Amino acid sequence: MTSFLWPVSYYSFSITVMQIILTHENADFDAIASLLGAHKLYPNARPVLPLRINRNVQAYLDLYGVELPFVHREIIPRGRRVKRVILVDTQGLTTIRGMGKHISDVLIIDHHMPPESLPEGWRFQGELIGATTTLLVEALSARLIPMSAIEATLLLTGIYEDTGSLTYGATSSRDLRAAAWLMEQGASLEIVGEFLEHPLTLAQQSIYNELRAHVETLMVNGHPIILSWAQSPPNVEEEISTLAHKLRDLFDPSALFILVQLGENTQLVSRSTTDDISVSEVAQYFGGGGHNRAAAALIHRRVALEVYEELRALLPGFVRPRVTVRDLMSRGVRTVEPHTSVALAAQQMLRTGHEGFPVVDAAGQVMGLVTRNAVDRAMQHHWERQPVHRIMQPGDFAVAPEDSAERVRTLMIHSGWGQIPVVEEGRVVGVVTRTDMIRMPPSAQESERRRMAQLMATAFPQPLLDLIRVIGAQAAELCFTIYFVGGIVRDLLLGQPIGDIDLVVEGDAIALGQALAETYGGEIHTHSRFGTVKWTLPEGVWSEGETRGGGDKESGRQFPPHPLTPSPPHPLTPSALPASIDLVTARTEFYEHPTALPTVERSSIKQDLHRRDFTINTLAIRLDPQRWGDLLDFYGGKVDIEAGVIRVLHSLSFVDDPTRILRAARFEARLDFRLDPRSESLIADALPMLNRITGGRVRHELDLILKEARPEAALERLQALGALRQIHPSLLCDDWLRERFARLRQAELLDLWGVADEAGRLFLHWALFLYRLPLADIVQIVERLLIRRTVSVGAKVLPELPRALDELMQHTRPSQITAQLEALPLDVQAVAWLATDDAIVRARLEQYAREWRHVAPQLTGKALCDLGFKPGPLFRDLFIALRRARLDGDITTLEEEIALVKNWEVRET
């Protein structure tokens, strides 16, 4: 789509006439950025700042305003007359000094629906798009108008704020292209993030917490709408729109209305994400204004709670239905007159298959409904000739085509009718049946919520979901919200096996853990620095008969039953269910310097997701009773999962934490995804930072890679990126290592050496990885990566293996082979079996592990004493000789053992 280009001649102003650019009060970044964009297009027009500016925008102006062209209205020269006005991001004209009562030359530039009519001389230019700033940036880029980095950053912030960092549903590809162009002009995403995540003041925090505590979700005409109210601390007037943005991001409703009492007055701030709800109409009702998607009103001399109750009652009148009767109804309805016989009605029902007919009078007015059930009963009583008005359900229940589906549902419940006639212009034009209501299309959000709920029901055993519902309900009572976050959501969407289950708490995880233990029993272990708690579940919680509405029988505590999403039988048994649940407080992190461990602070779920490594790990699923299954996707993670892309959230991600390089390779290999080109390009600059990371953190990431199904894929990728060489120049992933790892996966004999478990396999992977390195390099790597003794002890033996295997070929007698192998740890022998290609060596290693190492004499020390031998060093020599003879097949019975020792006695004599 082509960008807007306004004719410059329209505002090629004469200096004898003042031209100004205005926006709305309580201005956000889109409003102020639009002032700048319009001024860049029309430099003779003065961009006038409104009286009230959002606090984070004001902070930006305080820091960078000296480089920007804005003027305050009080410095407009007296005696100058305003003749022409450009309105940006608003359609309402505010009066300032120099303006007459009737301005007849006005240009509106806005990204909302145009007004139905305009005064003479007014013009509207705009489109439905994510931000007004985008419209202006398109014109600036088309005209190649230069700008400073500060200007580009302000414009980018305007787009990011109004599009929720390009994640809101109204965001278009044009918003993304405008943002990309601004990046090319020098805009700073770091500065954008700094001001969009501007910290709340103490007063704002107090108001925000009260708003969250009073949140009510209403379903009005198919739309989820959030209402809340709060009272500002005394003598404090704080900016409220920022709080509205935070609540909208948190709950993602179709519309949001918040009321904050400021002294004697109440401030209304409203936001909408759909054309079905024009919040400006609501604001106008209360004496305010705005546009369809954002509006406000200052309501004088009324308390917030009183306005809240009035607003709650008024809302249905301002919300157009998401699904109307016209979308649902069946047309071509048949009707019958009140004097139609029962027999004729039965005949028509049989012919048409209809379950009932509206009964209408001669004027077409609905009188009632006659149903098949009533007709069948009448026929059984031989009432064939009776008129249908004798058996109909009387009433004049009907709906219009533009009524909501909710009105139909209400009428069905109230009347008991299974069909509601649809009347237009005085005649019945259709009918809505219960079947039509069942088939009513859910909203996209509701469809996604149902899909996520079904995915969870399939992936988790039902008893575990029951418990999570209990935790969600307990959290809701504390005004907290719990979520599945990150990898668990990613793997759920991909159909991957689910690992550990952690719950992220937006609120205070420790307080929630304490409440759960107090209510249901069990023990908690907390970590206050990170706001985490492990709740060890009460004994017997997974017992038979306690998994649904169960609990701790001894304590008398009961887990309340909850309405559950149906699910098929799950393969997990109660014994596989967790003994504890980890709760983690939602937090944000910042790095004092690159590679440092992060400093942690409590935060919102959105900030918690923003600290994560890749977009595919930034998804969350709400688990509270009201919004069970809602998917939160602030950073485009779902799209990247569908596209198989691994993408960092910001350009310094790998610098902040270089271990993310290793994680990127691991996810690429496990999920068969690929780093996006920009993310991959950021790795080269971050590679040297790996040297500053503690060895334990690097080793931990390598441990995780070596535990993957195909670790060689990740190692090969790290080698291509230069990361293996950065960790140590000798580390290598080549064909030899790939073949050995494949051999390890296919090996069925690892139990022979006691290395078939996870720890054993991890050792084998490390050992093969280091197998061909000289001892000096192995020692350096062990010390650099702080490799655990369970691996390092065997690793340091590896350089001796090739020589030992060569010597093994020089022996033929089992006793000689056994003597040599007993000098090597058993797990190192398994490494040798995997590393060598010599079939004879592998066979001897197998036979030793399976048979020879278990060979022992039957004679005991007591038996030797009974034979007349005195205990001492001789016993050791005898047992060695006996075992050698057994191994080599020289003796096979107890009698032969006795003969051997007696011959030994003769030789010694």
Side-chain angles (χ1 to χ4, degrees), residues 34 49 56 127 140 165 182 266 316 345 347 371 375 451 461 503 541 560 575 804 873 902:
S34 296
L49 291 171
N56 58 339
E127 288 186 59
L140 291 171
S165 298
L182 291 170
T266 293
Q347 186 180 18
T371 66
V375 168
R451 188 172 79 91
L503 297 174
V541 67
S575 61
K902 286 183 177 180

Side-chain angles (χ1 to χ4, degrees), residues 840-882:
I840 295 175
V841 171
R842 286 168 63 86
R844 289 177 176 180
L845 287 166
E846 288 178 29
Q847 194 162 6
Y848 169 79
R850 180 184 289 109
E851 177 185 346
W852 293 339
R853 69 188 180 98
H854 301 295
V855 171
Q858 285 184 261
L859 283 174
T860 64
K862 182 179 182 303
L864 290 177
C865 290
D866 292 343
L867 290 171
F869 291 93
K870 293 182 179 180
L874 177 63
F875 274 32
R876 178 179 175 276
D877 295 338
L878 285 172
F879 284 131
I880 291 174
L882 287 169

Side-chain angles (χ1 to χ4, degrees), residues 114-290:
E116 293 182 2
S117 61
L118 288 171
E120 185 178 353
W122 286 42
R123 311 182 187 192
F124 177 89
Q125 298 224 18
E127 288 186 59
L128 290 176
I129 201 169
T132 300
T133 306
T134 296
L135 298 169
L136 294 158
V137 168
E138 288 177 334
L140 291 171
S141 63
R143 292 176 180 168
L144 302 178
I145 294 176
M147 64 184 64
S148 68
I150 293 301
E151 291 174 330
T153 301
L154 176 58
L155 293 166
L156 183 63
T157 311
I159 294 174
Y160 263 52
E161 184 177 60
D162 246 34
T163 62
S165 298
L166 306 176
T167 64
Y168 290 161
T171 305
S172 71
S173 59
R174 293 167 63 187
D175 297 297
L176 272 71
R177 285 194 292 270
W181 185 80
L182 291 170
M183 291 287 293
E184 293 169 358
Q185 310 313 304
S188 168
L189 275 176
E190 285 74 20
I191 294 177
V192 171
E194 176 186 350
F195 285 93
L196 290 186
E197 297 293 339
H198 206 61
L200 301 179
T201 66
L202 291 176
Q204 282 180 314
Q205 291 178 28
S206 173
I207 296 170
Y208 179 70
N209 290 335
E210 191 174 352
L211 286 170
R212 280 204 61 189
H214 291 152
V215 159
E216 180 181 11
T217 302
L218 301 178
M219 289 299 297
V220 181
N221 287 340
H223 292 286
I225 298 177
I226 294 293
L227 274 70
S228 189
W229 65 275
Q231 187 162 356
S232 175
N235 303 316
V236 171
E237 289 198 10
E238 282 289 351
E239 169 207 327
I240 307 303
S241 59
T242 297
L243 307 183
H245 280 291
K246 290 181 73 69
L247 287 171
R248 180 179 65 181
D249 289 346
L250 178 61
F251 293 102
D252 193 25
S254 294
L256 169 84
F257 297 87
I258 62 172
L259 296 153
V260 178
Q261 189 167 331
L262 307 170
E264 294 182 345
N265 305 323
T266 293
Q267 177 74 50
L268 166 68
V269 176
S270 52
R271 297 289 185 267
S272 172
T273 61
T274 171
D275 293 334
D276 290 342
I277 307 172
S278 174
V279 292
S280 64
E281 296 176 4
V282 180
Q284 289 167 11
Y285 175 87
F286 288 103

Side-chain angles (χ1 to χ4, degrees), residues 9 108 198 231 238 240 281 351 364 404 415 419 442 453 483 485 505 557 679 687 693 708 720 798 867 889:
S9 59
I108 299 172
H198 206 61
Q231 187 162 356
E238 282 289 351
I240 307 303
E281 296 176 4
R351 184 182 303 123
S404 68
S415 66
Q419 306 171 38
Y483 303 85
V485 165
V505 182
R557 301 182 179 95
S679 296
L687 283 176
I693 292 288
E708 290 289 328
L798 295 176
L867 290 171

